[in-house]
Amino acid sequence: MSIREKIHQILDHKIDLTEGNFWKNIPLYTIPMVLLSLLQLLYSSADQIIVANFGDGYVSFNAIGSNTALINLIIGVFVGIGVGANVVIAKAKGKGNVEKAHKTIQSSVILALITGVFLAGFGYVLAPILLKLLDTPSLYIEKATWYLRIYFLGMPALMVFNFGSALLRGLGDSKRPLYALGACGIFNIGLNFLFVCAFGLDVIGVGIATIICEILQALLILFFLAKKDNFASYSWKEWALYGPETKEILHHGIPAGLQAAIFSFSNIFIQKGVNGFEDPASGLTSDVTVAGNTASVQIEHYIWNCMNAFAVAVAALISQNYGAHKKKNLMKIFWISMFYETVVGISLGLFSFAFRYQLIGLFISRESFTIDGVFLSDAFEKAMKVGTTRLTIVGLTYVLDGYMDVCSYYIRGLGHSKTPTIVTVLCVTFLRIFFVVVIWRNVTFFNTLTWLYWIWPITWTLTIAVYATIIPSFNKKAYDHIDRHSRATQNA
């Protein structure tokens, strides 16, 4: 094979998800998704780093970071509908049904716009109320409100990009969403420097830059969907919600969205605890706690997105193979994905632990803790300690979250959308809220940040145990369905 052919093979967006070597095809399909997630995080981190060093310091840094849990909660249910679109179009491709795939694309784009407009209005109006409910410190609640409102105004474009990316992944194309984000993301960073450094717009500037680039991303993803070399293509002139396809997307997507939102809802309680946590004995104030916690969360997002890409890939892989009645591939995909989750999760966990001070230092700099020429050394040290403590506990155990997500998406790929949601409510949301509200707040021994952070690996472990007991029964149902189809085909 010539060098030109090798380069073309690498850049080619078409990957067969039902045939070939899965040890090779799963990474080829998933790595672009990993890079896509990392780029999204990099551009988000750039917002915080730029305002921390060239804007209003750690006040602006906290203003953006304190919105993370809230944003994930509100948009989670709608982004989850994109998972439904991914499952439906993957099954359609597995069965070779071009018409159904086309109708899924058209319906998904309309759903994305509808949900995006709703979110824009909802978020803009309720932003200040929601931030107050989270006990956001008064020092930066005004900046946090501005950023949150601007962020939500970009929801229509962001939803189109997310839905479009899910559709392309369902068709076996995980690379072109990466190309769209890569091109627009570089432009985003340039606009950040322009608006913050040249115009002095601080958090408002990075918010405006984000909206501009989200619009460009949405247009690019629609252009890619409209390409005629796809299994099914998007039509710019056809605006319609097709009933059966829309119903099926919502059937799979709403439970996935509810699971994401419910999962984030429990994190809201933890974020609320962090926002209001103070320890007078050690001089730990809420703003310092938030700074350290926010820095660690930024690093954890990189770990989670690398692992979550393999989990999300499972939904498309299983959906296509289940639709194509490839029984022998189902558990093979599951265990290969688990292997890659193990390698990635443990490697990143050990890396984050070994370089925890350097990583936290990327977000908590001396400059960001310098106000009016005075370096707040004590606050800086305490924020570093909070950040490294959380990163040690959560980072080293994040591989458990990867296992949990693979199990969840595997079940969704088999067509069971409600079960993962129920498991998440019982094993994650309920337990975390119970711990924070009943135990952490009222029992002195547990009222520390360390115990608050241990609730993550504890709930991950419990959820994995539950999935291990129920997956065999779902496999049996899937195998029986495929066997009945094979017998019917042979008899025909």
Side-chain angles (χ1 to χ4, degrees), residues 188-204:
N188 187 12
I189 293 178
L191 289 178
N192 283 344
F193 279 108
L194 175 66
F195 291 147
V196 175
C197 300
F199 299 155
L201 293 177
D202 199 45
V203 296
I204 295 177

Side-chain angles (χ1 to χ4, degrees), residues 83-95 97 100-102 104-105 108 166-172 225 231-232 248-249 319-320:
V83 175
N86 176 277
V87 170
V88 174
I89 200 169
K91 283 186 176 179
K93 185 178 181 183
K95 294 178 179 179
N97 192 333
K100 185 175 183 64
H102 169 73
T104 300
I105 293 173
S108 296
L167 290 167
L168 286 173
R169 289 195 298 267
L171 293 172
L225 281 170
F231 174 76
E248 193 172 352
I249 291 169
S319 294
Q320 276 205 27

Side-chain angles (χ1 to χ4, degrees), residues 49 81 108 129 171 183 235 308 424 456-457:
I49 292 173
I81 299 175
S108 296
I129 299 173
L171 293 172
S235 172
N308 188 61
T424 298
W456 268 279

Side-chain angles (χ1 to χ4, degrees), residues 108-144:
S108 296
V109 172
I110 300 298
L111 279 174
L113 288 171
I114 292 173
T115 56
V117 170
F118 172 79
L119 276 174
F122 176 85
Y124 187 88
V125 172
L126 295 182
I129 299 173
L130 295 172
L131 288 170
K132 287 180 181 178
L133 290 174
L134 273 177
D135 292 337
T136 305
S138 58
L139 180 63
Y140 50 82
I141 191 170
E142 182 178 356
K143 287 179 178 290

Side-chain angles (χ1 to χ4, degrees), residues 420-437:
T421 303
I422 295 171
V423 172
T424 298
V425 170
L426 296 178
C427 299
V428 178
T429 305
F430 176 77
L431 184 56
R432 288 182 183 178
I433 293 175
F434 177 81
F435 176 78
V436 173
V437 175

Side-chain angles (χ1 to χ4, degrees), residues 152-188:
F152 275 109
L153 287 178
M155 279 296 106
L158 182 60
M159 289 296 105
V160 169
F161 176 76
N162 284 330
F163 275 59
S165 298
L167 290 167
L168 286 173
R169 289 195 298 267
L171 293 172
D173 177 4
S174 59
K175 295 183 180 180
R176 287 194 287 198
L178 174 63
Y179 302 155
L181 183 68
C184 296
I186 295 173
F187 185 51
N188 187 12

